[in-house]
Amino acid sequence: MQRILSIGPSRRRPAAGLLILLTALLTLLTAPVLADSAPYYETKPPSRDGIGKVYMGREISQVMGHRGARWLERPARVREELPDRVVAAMDLAPDAEVADIGAGTGYFAFRLAEQVPRGRVLAVDIQPEMLAIMRARAQERDIDNVALVQGTEADPKLPPASIDAALMVDAYHEFAYPREMMAAMVTALRPGGRVFLVEYRGEDPSIPIKPLHKMTAAQARREMAAVGLTHVETQDFLPTQHFMVFEKPATAAGR
Protein backbone atom coordinates (compact mmCIF):
# COMPACT_ATOMS: atom_id res chain seq x y z
CA MET A 1 0.00 0.00 0.00
CA GLN A 2 2.83 2.39 0.83
CA ARG A 3 4.59 1.63 -2.46
CA ILE A 4 1.47 2.67 -4.34
CA LEU A 5 1.28 6.01 -2.54
CA SER A 6 5.01 6.79 -2.57
CA ILE A 7 5.88 8.36 -5.93
CA GLY A 8 9.44 9.71 -6.05
CA PRO A 9 10.26 12.96 -7.84
CA SER A 10 12.35 11.23 -10.51
CA ARG A 11 9.56 8.77 -11.35
CA ARG A 12 6.49 10.99 -11.19
CA ARG A 13 3.46 9.43 -12.88
CA PRO A 14 0.96 11.39 -14.97
CA ALA A 15 -2.35 12.44 -13.41
CA ALA A 16 -4.23 9.62 -15.16
CA GLY A 17 -1.91 7.04 -13.62
CA LEU A 18 -2.39 8.52 -10.18
CA LEU A 19 -6.14 8.39 -10.58
CA ILE A 20 -5.95 4.70 -11.44
CA LEU A 21 -3.81 4.02 -8.38
CA LEU A 22 -6.15 5.94 -6.09
CA THR A 23 -9.14 4.06 -7.51
CA ALA A 24 -7.40 0.76 -6.83
CA LEU A 25 -6.69 1.85 -3.26
CA LEU A 26 -10.31 2.82 -2.71
CA THR A 27 -11.39 -0.59 -3.98
CA LEU A 28 -9.10 -2.32 -1.51
CA LEU A 29 -10.38 -0.22 1.37
CA THR A 30 -14.04 -0.92 0.61
CA ALA A 31 -13.61 -4.62 -0.15
CA PRO A 32 -14.10 -5.82 3.47
CA VAL A 33 -17.45 -3.99 3.67
CA LEU A 34 -18.71 -5.64 0.49
CA ALA A 35 -17.41 -9.01 1.64
CA ASP A 36 -19.65 -8.91 4.72
CA SER A 37 -22.73 -9.58 2.55
CA ALA A 38 -21.03 -11.74 -0.06
CA PRO A 39 -21.58 -15.11 1.66
CA TYR A 40 -25.34 -14.55 1.92
CA TYR A 41 -26.38 -13.16 -1.44
CA GLU A 42 -26.03 -13.99 -5.09
CA THR A 43 -26.85 -11.91 -8.12
CA LYS A 44 -28.58 -12.71 -11.41
CA PRO A 45 -30.24 -10.78 -14.22
CA PRO A 46 -33.32 -9.32 -12.54
CA SER A 47 -36.66 -10.82 -13.43
CA ARG A 48 -39.59 -8.58 -14.27
CA ASP A 49 -40.60 -7.95 -10.65
CA GLY A 50 -37.28 -8.67 -8.94
CA ILE A 51 -34.07 -6.82 -8.14
CA GLY A 52 -31.69 -9.55 -9.28
CA LYS A 53 -30.49 -10.25 -5.74
CA VAL A 54 -30.98 -13.80 -4.47
CA TYR A 55 -31.12 -14.90 -0.83
CA MET A 56 -31.23 -18.60 0.03
CA GLY A 57 -32.54 -19.38 -3.45
CA ARG A 58 -35.23 -16.66 -3.44
CA GLU A 59 -35.04 -13.59 -5.64
CA ILE A 60 -35.95 -10.47 -3.68
CA SER A 61 -38.87 -8.55 -5.12
CA GLN A 62 -39.10 -4.90 -6.00
CA VAL A 63 -40.50 -2.58 -3.34
CA MET A 64 -43.99 -1.17 -3.54
CA GLY A 65 -43.39 2.52 -2.91
CA HIS A 66 -45.52 5.12 -1.17
CA ARG A 67 -47.49 5.62 -4.38
CA GLY A 68 -49.15 2.31 -3.53
CA ALA A 69 -50.67 3.72 -0.35
CA ARG A 70 -54.20 3.43 -1.75
CA TRP A 71 -53.68 -0.29 -2.30
CA LEU A 72 -52.80 -0.69 1.38
CA GLU A 73 -56.02 1.04 2.39
CA ARG A 74 -58.35 -0.58 -0.15
CA PRO A 75 -61.78 -1.43 1.37
CA ALA A 76 -61.59 -5.05 0.19
CA ARG A 77 -58.55 -5.65 2.37
CA VAL A 78 -60.72 -6.18 5.44
CA ARG A 79 -62.32 -9.15 3.72
CA GLU A 80 -59.22 -10.40 1.91
CA GLU A 81 -56.70 -10.22 4.75
CA LEU A 82 -58.82 -10.26 7.93
CA PRO A 83 -56.62 -7.74 9.76
CA ASP A 84 -58.59 -7.89 13.01
CA ARG A 85 -58.20 -11.68 13.15
CA VAL A 86 -54.47 -11.33 12.50
CA VAL A 87 -54.07 -8.93 15.42
CA ALA A 88 -56.24 -11.10 17.68
CA ALA A 89 -54.21 -14.20 16.78
CA MET A 90 -51.06 -12.47 18.02
CA ASP A 91 -52.53 -12.65 21.54
CA LEU A 92 -50.65 -9.61 22.80
CA ALA A 93 -50.54 -8.54 26.43
CA PRO A 94 -52.13 -5.12 27.06
CA ASP A 95 -48.73 -3.68 28.00
CA ALA A 96 -46.74 -5.30 25.16
CA GLU A 97 -44.15 -3.45 23.13
CA VAL A 98 -44.68 -4.49 19.52
CA ALA A 99 -43.07 -3.45 16.25
CA ASP A 100 -44.86 -3.24 12.90
CA ILE A 101 -42.06 -3.61 10.36
CA GLY A 102 -42.84 -2.10 6.98
CA ALA A 103 -45.81 -0.38 8.56
CA GLY A 104 -46.77 1.56 5.43
CA THR A 105 -49.87 3.64 6.09
CA GLY A 106 -50.37 2.23 9.59
CA TYR A 107 -53.11 -0.19 8.52
CA PHE A 108 -51.99 -2.74 11.10
CA ALA A 109 -50.12 -0.42 13.45
CA PHE A 110 -53.28 1.40 14.52
CA ARG A 111 -55.10 -1.89 15.07
CA LEU A 112 -52.19 -3.10 17.17
CA ALA A 113 -52.37 0.11 19.21
CA GLU A 114 -55.90 -0.79 20.29
CA GLN A 115 -54.68 -4.19 21.51
CA VAL A 116 -51.88 -2.74 23.67
CA PRO A 117 -53.52 0.22 25.46
CA ARG A 118 -50.81 0.18 28.16
CA GLY A 119 -48.04 -0.69 25.73
CA ARG A 120 -46.63 0.81 22.58
CA VAL A 121 -46.41 0.15 18.85
CA LEU A 122 -43.21 0.99 17.02
CA ALA A 123 -44.25 1.63 13.42
CA VAL A 124 -41.12 1.14 11.31
CA ASP A 125 -40.79 2.15 7.68
CA ILE A 126 -37.92 3.28 5.45
CA GLN A 127 -40.03 5.70 3.42
CA PRO A 128 -40.51 9.18 4.92
CA GLU A 129 -43.68 9.58 2.84
CA MET A 130 -45.26 6.59 4.60
CA LEU A 131 -44.19 7.95 7.99
CA ALA A 132 -45.82 11.27 7.12
CA ILE A 133 -49.08 9.51 6.27
CA MET A 134 -49.02 7.63 9.59
CA ARG A 135 -48.20 10.77 11.54
CA ALA A 136 -51.20 12.60 10.07
CA ARG A 137 -53.54 9.69 10.71
CA ALA A 138 -52.35 9.21 14.28
CA GLN A 139 -53.04 12.88 14.96
CA GLU A 140 -56.49 12.69 13.36
CA ARG A 141 -57.39 9.66 15.48
CA ASP A 142 -55.73 11.00 18.65
CA ILE A 143 -53.59 7.85 18.98
CA ASP A 144 -50.69 8.41 21.35
CA ASN A 145 -49.18 4.93 21.74
CA VAL A 146 -47.74 4.63 18.21
CA ALA A 147 -44.13 5.75 17.80
CA LEU A 148 -42.80 6.28 14.28
CA VAL A 149 -39.36 4.91 13.45
CA GLN A 150 -37.49 5.50 10.19
CA GLY A 151 -35.41 2.42 9.58
CA THR A 152 -32.97 1.62 6.83
CA GLU A 153 -32.83 -1.22 4.31
CA ALA A 154 -30.60 -3.20 6.67
CA ASP A 155 -31.67 -2.03 10.14
CA PRO A 156 -35.09 -1.36 11.72
CA LYS A 157 -33.38 0.94 14.25
CA LEU A 158 -34.86 -0.73 17.32
CA PRO A 159 -32.96 -0.86 20.63
CA PRO A 160 -31.73 -4.26 21.87
CA ALA A 161 -34.20 -6.32 23.91
CA SER A 162 -36.89 -3.64 23.53
CA ILE A 163 -39.86 -5.47 21.98
CA ASP A 164 -42.06 -8.44 22.81
CA ALA A 165 -43.26 -9.06 19.26
CA ALA A 166 -42.80 -7.98 15.67
CA LEU A 167 -45.32 -8.13 12.84
CA MET A 168 -44.50 -8.14 9.13
CA VAL A 169 -47.40 -8.22 6.69
CA ASP A 170 -46.63 -8.60 2.97
CA ALA A 171 -43.30 -6.83 3.56
CA TYR A 172 -40.51 -9.28 4.28
CA HIS A 173 -40.20 -10.50 0.68
CA GLU A 174 -39.25 -6.94 -0.32
CA PHE A 175 -36.38 -6.52 2.16
CA ALA A 176 -33.18 -5.76 0.23
CA TYR A 177 -31.12 -7.10 3.15
CA PRO A 178 -33.31 -9.78 4.74
CA ARG A 179 -30.55 -11.44 6.75
CA GLU A 180 -29.29 -8.18 8.25
CA MET A 181 -32.83 -6.98 8.96
CA MET A 182 -33.83 -10.19 10.69
CA ALA A 183 -30.59 -10.37 12.68
CA ALA A 184 -31.27 -6.84 13.94
CA MET A 185 -34.84 -7.77 14.81
CA VAL A 186 -33.69 -10.82 16.75
CA THR A 187 -31.44 -8.51 18.74
CA ALA A 188 -34.38 -6.16 19.34
CA LEU A 189 -36.60 -8.99 20.61
CA ARG A 190 -36.65 -9.90 24.26
CA PRO A 191 -35.94 -13.57 25.04
CA GLY A 192 -39.06 -15.52 24.12
CA GLY A 193 -40.26 -12.70 21.88
CA ARG A 194 -42.14 -13.62 18.73
CA VAL A 195 -42.10 -12.71 15.06
CA PHE A 196 -45.39 -12.90 13.19
CA LEU A 197 -44.86 -13.21 9.46
CA VAL A 198 -47.79 -12.87 7.07
CA GLU A 199 -47.11 -13.60 3.39
CA TYR A 200 -49.18 -14.67 0.41
CA ARG A 201 -48.97 -18.43 -0.06
CA GLY A 202 -46.27 -19.20 -2.62
CA GLU A 203 -47.41 -22.82 -2.87
CA ASP A 204 -50.67 -21.76 -4.51
CA PRO A 205 -50.29 -20.55 -8.12
CA SER A 206 -53.99 -19.68 -8.26
CA ILE A 207 -53.53 -16.74 -5.88
CA PRO A 208 -53.48 -13.68 -8.20
CA ILE A 209 -50.32 -12.12 -6.75
CA LYS A 210 -47.00 -11.79 -8.58
CA PRO A 211 -44.80 -14.82 -7.74
CA LEU A 212 -41.99 -12.81 -6.14
CA HIS A 213 -44.53 -11.18 -3.82
CA LYS A 214 -45.44 -14.58 -2.35
CA MET A 215 -43.50 -16.99 -0.13
CA THR A 216 -43.79 -20.67 0.67
CA ALA A 217 -43.92 -21.64 4.31
CA ALA A 218 -40.86 -23.86 3.80
CA GLN A 219 -38.80 -20.97 2.42
CA ALA A 220 -39.86 -18.68 5.28
CA ARG A 221 -38.88 -21.32 7.86
CA ARG A 222 -35.42 -21.67 6.29
CA GLU A 223 -34.80 -17.94 6.30
CA MET A 224 -35.99 -17.42 9.86
CA ALA A 225 -33.95 -20.41 11.10
CA ALA A 226 -30.85 -18.84 9.52
CA VAL A 227 -30.97 -16.05 12.14
CA GLY A 228 -31.81 -18.32 15.06
CA LEU A 229 -35.61 -18.08 15.20
CA THR A 230 -37.61 -21.18 16.04
CA HIS A 231 -40.74 -22.01 14.08
CA VAL A 232 -43.71 -22.29 16.45
CA GLU A 233 -46.63 -22.78 14.07
CA THR A 234 -48.15 -21.85 10.73
CA GLN A 235 -51.85 -21.09 10.72
CA ASP A 236 -53.86 -20.95 7.52
CA PHE A 237 -56.99 -19.16 8.70
CA LEU A 238 -56.39 -16.41 6.14
CA PRO A 239 -57.95 -16.78 2.67
CA THR A 240 -54.72 -16.38 0.69
CA GLN A 241 -51.87 -15.86 3.19
CA HIS A 242 -49.82 -17.81 5.68
CA PHE A 243 -49.81 -16.67 9.29
CA MET A 244 -46.41 -17.87 10.52
CA VAL A 245 -45.15 -17.63 14.08
CA PHE A 246 -41.46 -17.72 15.08
CA GLU A 247 -39.85 -17.31 18.47
CA LYS A 248 -36.54 -16.09 19.82
CA PRO A 249 -35.30 -18.79 22.19
CA ALA A 250 -35.37 -17.85 25.84
CA THR A 251 -32.05 -17.70 27.65
CA ALA A 252 -31.25 -20.40 30.15
CA ALA A 253 -31.78 -17.93 32.99
CA GLY A 254 -35.18 -17.00 31.65
CA ARG A 255 -36.57 -20.55 31.60
Side-chain angles (χ1 to χ4, degrees):
M1 300 288 282
Q2 290 179 342
R3 287 196 301 271
I4 293 175
L5 292 176
S6 299
I7 302 173
S10 63
R11 301 177 61 185
R12 189 175 301 277
R13 298 173 185 267
L18 180 59
L19 179 61
I20 293 172
L21 290 172
L22 290 175
T23 302
L25 177 60
L26 181 61
T27 300
L28 288 173
L29 291 174
T30 57
V33 177
L34 298 176
D36 287 345
S37 294
Y40 307 129
Y41 303 107
E42 299 175 352
T43 57
K44 54 169 278 188
S47 59
R48 181 175 180 179
D49 301 307
I51 65 172
K53 186 175 181 180
V54 178
Y55 178 57
M56 299 187 74
R58 173 182 65 87
E59 184 180 4
I60 297 168
S61 77
Q62 296 174 1
V63 174
M64 185 186 74
H66 64 277
R67 291 182 177 84
R70 287 187 178 181
W71 166 257
L72 297 178
E73 294 290 334
R74 65 192 186 280
R77 195 174 184 188
V78 173
R79 180 183 71 256
E80 295 169 352
E81 299 190 15
L82 308 180
D84 294 329
R85 283 197 63 182
V86 167
V87 172
M90 294 174 68
D91 193 24
L92 299 168
D95 60 350
E97 299 275 326
V98 56
D100 182 4
I101 310 296
T105 60
Y107 190 80
F108 277 90
F110 297 137
R111 287 175 166 84
L112 290 169
E114 295 177 1
Q115 295 296 310
V116 292
R118 300 197 304 276
R120 185 173 57 154
V121 178
L122 300 170
V124 181
D125 209 282
I126 67 172
Q127 300 181 72
E129 296 88 353
M130 290 297 198
L131 294 170
I133 291 172
M134 283 192 284
R135 183 177 296 108
R137 289 182 173 171
Q139 292 172 350
E140 290 172 1
R141 304 178 188 189
D142 196 25
I143 297 174
D144 60 4
N145 64 335
V146 173
L148 306 182
V149 180
Q150 182 163 0
T152 70
E153 287 187 329
D155 189 351
K157 299 296 184 180
L158 300 174
S162 61
I163 59 173
D164 301 295
L167 173 66
M168 293 176 286
V169 179
D170 303 333
Y172 174 75
H173 64 270
E174 297 182 351
F175 290 175
Y177 294 88
R179 191 180 186 97
E180 291 84 348
M181 276 290 290
M182 292 311 304
M185 287 173 57
V186 169
T187 299
L189 283 169
R190 296 178 177 126
R194 292 191 165 189
V195 169
F196 298 88
L197 181 62
V198 178
E199 290 281 351
Y200 284 100
R201 294 198 290 270
E203 302 89 340
D204 188 348
S206 70
I207 295 173
I209 296 293
K210 297 174 181 178
L212 293 188
H213 290 266
K214 299 191 282 188
M215 285 190 72
T216 66
Q219 181 71 26
R221 289 196 299 269
R222 285 195 295 271
E223 296 187 25
M224 297 301 111
V227 294
L229 290 170
T230 301
H231 178 244
V232 177
E233 62 177 339
T234 296
Q235 299 182 28
D236 287 326
F237 63 86
L238 296 172
T240 56
Q241 296 157 296
H242 290 302
F243 178 88
M244 295 171 274
V245 185
F246 302 89
E247 186 173 272
K248 177 178 179 176
T251 61
R255 288 179 176 172

